[in-house]
Amino acid sequence: MRRHIALLATPNAQALEVTGPIEVFAMANRKLREAGRSGANTYDISLISAVEDLHIYSASGLRILAERCYSECQEPIDTLLIAGGLDLWSASDHPDLLEWIRKQEKQVRRIASVCTGAFVLAEAGLLEGKRVTTHWYFAQQLQERFPATIVDPEPIFIRSGKLATSAGVTAGLDLALALVEEDLGLDISLRVARALVLFLRRSEGENQISTSLALQGTTRLPLREIPIYILEHLSDDLSVEALAARLSMSPRNFSRVFAEEFNRTPATFVEELRLDTARRLLNESEKSMDEIAANCGFGGADQLRRAFKRKFGYTPPALRAAR
């Protein structure tokens, strides 16, 4: 059970816009193994070139070698990412590539761009009437060249159905983390973010220019670590009092600040993460009900069953039976 992630790189794609998303998906495979979820859909990752020359000449001088040209990619693709660079490249002289992208759009589960990869999607006619984004420096140019496209230069990424567009450089990491969370759950995306020393995934609506500066001024970094702590201690006492004490805050102040930061109460967050982790272990591992209940912080299989029924409307045995 594997998902093919294909990253199509233009000849001068930015190195980090190529390697960043690839590292996120590769790390997700490792974290799945560590979590014991052998039954999960893992990723097959390939780097393909938009032209016959397999060399990608990034602006930094780093040369990257793709595995093959897009025309040689015959196996089904689950998610197609198109990475551009700060030296704008046009696919208008490559009609076969544009036709291949249009064909893939009809077949893949998701199609996305990083940085100026949005221009390639636009040249293929896939962005007409869509609200999209790209690196802020190129946003006006994208709008002028493709007036039927609705370009928003502020968000770090925008998703609309199977289509996603992202801003430059590290925004590709944020988008990749969002796709991992969609596929594999919050617990795995948190583990990936921690392993790559990233902020817990920035949300889709965050501004691509001001986000980093705003975080430096307002983010409570200890609070940012709390979701990771919860994930790694699901079987421990995760009451408001215990979590607040960890940060040397009063329970009342901790609850207020947590809700402002994560848009839910600490108790709701803990239960959601426990239940989401339990559901995926039930579906993607061979652990017993008692083992999963203990690992996820439930008093026993009966408590897990009641919480499961209340949240999802079905019981753990029913989920297992449907595998």
Side-chain angles (χ1 to χ4, degrees):
M1 297 168 58
R2 304 183 71 87
R3 293 186 172 102
H4 181 196
I5 308 292
L7 195 146
L8 175 76
T10 61
N12 50 7
Q14 284 268 86
L16 187 55
E17 288 159 4
V18 172
T19 60
I22 287 176
E23 290 291 347
V24 169
F25 291 113
M27 184 59 69
N29 283 341
R30 175 176 293 188
K31 294 304 172 183
L32 276 174
R33 291 193 296 270
E34 291 179 2
R37 287 169 50 184
S38 59
N41 287 307
T42 51
Y43 297 117
D44 281 328
I45 309 158
S46 62
L47 175 60
I48 57 179
S49 173
V51 296
E52 290 187 3
D53 184 357
L54 301 186
H55 291 90
I56 300 157
Y57 303 89
S58 67
S60 67
L62 180 65
R63 185 178 299 183
I64 302 172
L65 185 64
E67 299 174 23
R68 51 192 159 163
C69 177
Y70 74 90
S71 59
E72 299 172 341
C73 185
Q74 303 298 325
E75 66 270 31
I77 296 172
D78 175 87
T79 301
L80 176 63
L81 302 176
I82 301 175
L86 293 179
D87 295 321
L88 191 59
W89 182 80
S90 174
S92 59
D93 294 332
H94 302 270
D96 290 344
L97 169 64
L98 295 176
E99 180 58 34
W100 181 83
I101 291 173
R102 285 190 286 267
K103 179 180 178 181
Q104 292 299 322
E105 191 275 335
K106 295 182 175 67
Q107 299 173 347
V108 299
R109 184 166 62 99
R110 299 178 300 213
I111 185 167
S113 63
V114 181
C115 195
T116 58
F119 283 79
V120 178
L121 288 179
E123 288 172 330
L126 302 183
L127 301 187
E128 291 187 7
K130 301 292 180 61
R131 176 175 168 263
V132 302
T133 194
T134 187
H135 191 290
W136 62 267
Y137 184 83
F138 297 97
Q140 183 175 350
Q141 189 172 349
L142 181 63
Q143 185 67 82
E144 291 173 351
R145 284 186 54 184
F146 304 96
T149 299
I150 306 165
V151 181
D152 187 342
E154 295 191 353
I156 56 173
F157 65 88
I158 295 174
R159 297 195 64 187
S160 176
K162 65 165 33 179
L163 173 70
T165 53
S166 68
V169 195
T170 58
L173 296 170
D174 293 301
L175 175 59
L177 275 173
L179 300 181
V180 167
E181 182 177 332
E182 177 183 281
D183 293 341
L184 304 173
L186 177 60
D187 59 326
I188 297 300
S189 68
L190 287 174
R191 293 177 190 273
V192 171
R194 177 67 171 273
L196 297 178
V197 198
L198 300 171
F199 277 122
L200 304 184
R201 181 175 61 81
R202 293 184 293 172
S203 64
E204 177 176 344
E206 291 197 47
N207 186 291
Q208 59 175 286
I209 298 176
S210 64
T211 294
S212 295
L213 292 176
L215 284 172
Q216 289 177 29
T218 64
T219 296
R220 299 170 183 266
L221 291 180
L223 195 64
R224 284 268 171 177
E225 287 295 310
I226 280 292
I228 295 291
Y229 176 81
I230 293 171
L231 175 64
E232 294 177 347
H233 298 83
L234 289 177
S235 61
D236 294 350
D237 177 11
L238 297 176
S239 65
V240 169
E241 291 75 16
L243 295 175
R246 181 172 177 78
L247 299 185
S248 300
M249 298 171 66
S250 70
R252 181 176 180 180
N253 189 40
F254 171 78
S255 295
R256 178 184 61 79
V257 174
F258 189 98
E260 290 175 353
E261 186 80 11
F262 298 105
N263 298 314
R264 66 201 73 188
T265 67
T268 298
F269 186 90
V270 169
E271 182 178 63
E272 287 179 352
L273 193 50
R274 279 174 165 161
L275 284 170
D276 184 66
T277 302
R279 180 170 60 174
R280 293 181 182 277
L281 286 173
L282 283 161
N283 205 37
E284 299 168 0
S285 80
E286 300 306 320
K287 292 184 177 182
S288 69
M289 302 288 182
D290 288 330
E291 286 177 309
I292 293 172
N295 289 346
C296 295
F298 294 98
D302 287 342
Q303 185 181 352
L304 172 62
R305 180 184 57 78
R306 290 193 297 272
F308 221 80
K309 181 70 173 179
R310 182 176 66 252
K311 176 68 175 180
F312 302 121
Y314 51 84
T315 64
L319 177 64
R320 274 248 161 108
R323 288 200 304 183

